[in-house]
């Protein structure tokens, strides 16, 4: 192996080791995360730190989540290859790219048009043809494509938004951070049963807030 190739192999091993040591054990999720290089999703100054298990800044004042949190959320969502998934909060597109390897179809929405445009370019470059990225206020879900088997929200709301709960199929699962402040949030899982909704609290997390309306860039 050339030095470059062995550096990349070493970095990948460390990346996967960090995921496992933080509790990402689902083989389908680990395989998906091995396939998706985080590098292209981070531009500029922080690009060099793409392989660290750290959240990093992206355009529009947003953040790409920590890889282990992406792994834990993907695992908690229990995605199957038949699922149609909605992600609210496209950001860099990294989480959507992981979901595209786990699901049949992925819709991802962000209130910032610039993020949707940039993420769509990466999906095209990577040939991830089962993802559709849309500029919209995701707190209303995506009524045209509803209902969904799985919904993942990657920005924190005070409570699970009603329209998202309404767009979840029976047997469907939604994973989202909830909390009243920027600092104290819990990752929860909501399952729609025949008779109602079941809630599980998973772990403390810290996400940017879910904001109403479109970004200033449309
Ligand atoms: N999943 C992303 C990280 C998301 S950061 C990744 O893998 O990189 C949270 C994102 O939620 C931001 O891009 C922010 O613009 C978006 N967001 C916040 N409120 C929103 C809303 N109401 N509708 C859609 N997107 C929203």
């Amino acid at each position: 192996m050339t030095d470059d190739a062995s550096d990349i192999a070493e970095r990948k091993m460390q990346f996967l080791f960090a995921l496992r040591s933080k509790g990402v054990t689902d083989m389908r999720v680990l395989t998906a995360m091995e396939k998706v290089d985080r590098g292209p999703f981070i531009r500029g100054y922080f690009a060099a730190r793409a392989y660290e298990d750290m959240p990093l800044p992206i355009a529009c004042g947003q953040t790409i989540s920590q890889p282990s949190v992406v792994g834990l959320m993907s695992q908690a969502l229990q995605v199957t290859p038949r699922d149609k998934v909605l992600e609210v909060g496209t950001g860099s597109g990294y989480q959507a790219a992981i979901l595209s390897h786990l699901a049949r179809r992925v819709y991802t929405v962000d209130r910032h048009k610039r993020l949707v445009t940039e993420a769509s370019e990466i999906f095209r470059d990577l040939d991830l043809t089962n993802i559709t990225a849309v500029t919209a206020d995701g707190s209303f879900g995506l009524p045209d494509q509803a209902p969904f088997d799985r919904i993942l929200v990657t920005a924190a709301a005070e409570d699970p938004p009603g329209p998202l709960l309404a767009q979840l199929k029976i047997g469907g699962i939604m994973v989202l951070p909830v909390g009243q402040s920027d600092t104290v949030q819990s990752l929860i899982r909501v399952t729609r049963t025949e008779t109602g909704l079941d809630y599980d609290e998973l772990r403390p997390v810290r996400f940017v807030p879910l904001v109403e309306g479109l970004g200033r860039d449309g």
Side-chain angles (χ1 to χ4, degrees):
M1 263 196 288
T2 63
D3 274 1
D4 270 4
S6 70
D7 279 358
I8 292 168
E10 171 71 22
R11 210 167 55 189
K12 204 175 226 181
M13 286 249 300
Q14 279 177 4
F15 184 77
L16 291 170
F17 182 77
L19 294 176
R20 282 174 185 270
S21 70
K22 300 224 170 118
V24 184
T25 51
D26 183 303
M27 275 318 292
R28 285 191 76 228
V29 172
L30 286 167
T31 305
M33 294 189 76
E34 191 177 351
K35 281 188 195 148
V36 180
D37 182 354
R38 192 169 178 244
F41 295 91
I42 301 162
R43 297 174 193 221
Y45 181 73
F46 288 99
R49 306 185 60 180
Y51 306 99
E52 294 175 30
D53 191 25
M54 295 261 293
L56 293 170
I58 56 170
C60 304
Q62 305 303 316
T63 44
I64 178 171
S65 314
Q66 190 174 348
S68 56
V69 171
V70 170
L72 290 168
M73 287 176 89
S74 306
Q75 180 168 292
L77 202 60
Q78 300 171 13
V79 184
T80 80
R82 293 185 308 276
D83 288 344
K84 180 167 70 169
V85 182
L86 172 66
E87 180 198 25
V88 176
T90 310
S92 67
Y94 178 63
Q95 171 76 72
I98 308 289
L99 292 172
S100 85
H101 287 282
L102 300 171
R104 174 173 57 84
R105 197 84 190 75
V106 178
Y107 292 89
T108 180
V109 305
D110 205 287
R111 58 190 290 277
H112 287 291
K113 187 176 178 192
R114 172 175 171 192
L115 295 174
V116 169
T117 306
E118 290 183 358
S120 300
E121 280 166 15
I122 305 176
F123 302 149
R124 206 175 42 232
D125 290 349
L126 298 180
D127 217 13
L128 301 175
T129 53
N130 65 341
I131 312 180
T132 304
V134 180
T135 307
D137 179 349
S139 32
F140 297 103
L142 212 49
D144 288 354
Q145 305 299 338
F148 296 96
D149 300 288
R150 300 287 184 266
I151 300 178
L152 183 61
V153 187
T154 62
E158 266 189 47
D159 292 301
L164 295 183
L165 292 173
Q167 290 174 27
L168 200 54
K169 282 187 194 168
I170 292 175
I173 298 175
M174 169 155 75
V175 170
L176 77 164
V178 289
Q180 286 174 337
S181 77
D182 285 355
T183 47
V184 185
Q185 300 166 2
S186 266
L187 189 66
I188 65 164
R189 175 168 49 203
V190 186
T191 308
R192 176 173 288 289
T193 65
E194 298 271 356
T195 50
L197 298 164
D198 281 348
Y199 290 83
D200 280 311
E201 196 167 325
L202 304 175
R203 67 195 302 272
V205 280
R206 200 165 168 178
F207 276 84
V208 297
L210 190 74
V211 178
E212 273 180 28
L214 293 183
R216 264 177 302 167
D217 61 346

